[in-house]
Amino acid sequence: MMGSDSDIQNGVTKRVPSPTVINYKITYEMDTKRGHEIPVIGGANAEGTSSFQEKELFFGRDDWSEEEAAELLNLGKLGSQAKNCMNCHTLLGNGAYYAPDLTKSWLDPAWGPEGSMQAMTGKDTKEEAMAEFLINPSQYPTHARMMPNLGITAAEAKGLVAFLKHMSSIDTNGFPRNFGKIKGAVHGK
């Protein structure tokens, strides 16, 4: 069952958080007790447990209501289906292996302030860089296999990025296993 905004605010961990998780900072940290990395919503306190307080702007806002966030995630989910993302990409272990796994793409340091993708798109934020790439992928060659231009609109791109951020917050028991080996993915190292 999907969690609620109240769960997030009260530090209750759900495997699938509320859509309002888009209002919070998400990191990927090693959980020594479980033996793999887990998403941490809202940052971590001195004990290394989630504090559920650190908000993060998402397209200029950190106050998306449950209804607004759910609508945006639904637009992204429907967009990922309509554009057949899983014909090339993997999402939560399903799909193809032709293009990068998108399960934890929000957490990929390449999209962060020091990352190549944010620099390449010239955007100020991770979400703007991701949306720009989705709208104009042929302008940003990243691999030998380039993403085709799928005619993604600005509204669809915003929904897709919200969907990807939410997906990155889902506790997948350390899947994908190789993600934590990406430089900067865990603990920002």
Side-chain angles (χ1 to χ4, degrees):
M1 179 156 87
M2 187 179 290
S4 68
D5 189 52
S6 175
D7 292 333
I8 293 174
Q9 293 174 8
N10 292 311
V12 176
T13 303
K14 297 281 185 170
R15 192 160 300 271
V16 179
S18 162
T20 58
V21 75
I22 65 173
N23 293 321
Y24 294 87
K25 180 178 181 176
I26 303 167
T27 60
Y28 205 51
E29 308 292 337
M30 175 57 91
D31 182 322
T32 53
K33 184 176 177 183
R34 291 175 63 184
H36 58 76
E37 298 88 4
I38 60 167
V40 176
I41 301 165
N45 59 25
E47 291 80 42
T49 59
S50 185
S51 63
F52 290 86
Q53 296 173 357
E54 190 173 350
K55 293 263 191 147
E56 178 178 71
L57 293 177
F58 185 74
F59 289 103
R61 295 179 53 191
D62 66 2
D63 62 350
W64 296 87
S65 70
E66 285 207 54
E67 296 77 25
E68 291 172 317
E71 188 175 305
L72 197 56
L73 291 183
N74 191 49
L75 176 64
K77 181 177 185 249
L78 292 175
S80 75
Q81 293 168 337
K83 301 300 182 181
N84 295 311
C85 296
M86 289 186 356
N87 279 358
C88 297
H89 296 278
T90 305
L91 303 168
L92 296 170
N94 298 297
Y97 295 96
Y98 182 77
D101 187 323
L102 299 178
T103 305
K104 300 293 180 193
S105 60
W106 176 262
L107 300 171
D108 188 330
W111 294 104
E114 306 298 319
S116 61
M117 296 305 294
Q118 192 168 327
M120 189 183 304
T121 61
K123 297 298 181 181
D124 294 328
T125 66
K126 179 188 300 191
E127 63 271 21
E128 291 170 343
M130 292 176 94
E132 172 63 23
F133 177 81
L134 291 169
I135 294 167
N136 301 299
S138 60
Q139 291 182 16
Y140 308 104
T142 56
H143 298 79
R145 302 175 187 163
M146 287 183 40
M147 181 172 155
N149 187 334
L150 300 172
I152 295 172
T153 67
E156 289 171 329
K158 191 175 188 177
L160 284 164
V161 174
F163 179 65
L164 293 173
K165 183 172 184 179
H166 183 262
M167 192 176 335
S168 291
S169 73
I170 295 172
D171 183 351
T172 57
N173 282 323
F175 177 84
R177 292 278 180 220
N178 61 345
F179 182 77
K181 293 183 172 101
I182 297 173
K183 184 178 181 191
V186 178
H187 306 298
K189 297 177 184 170

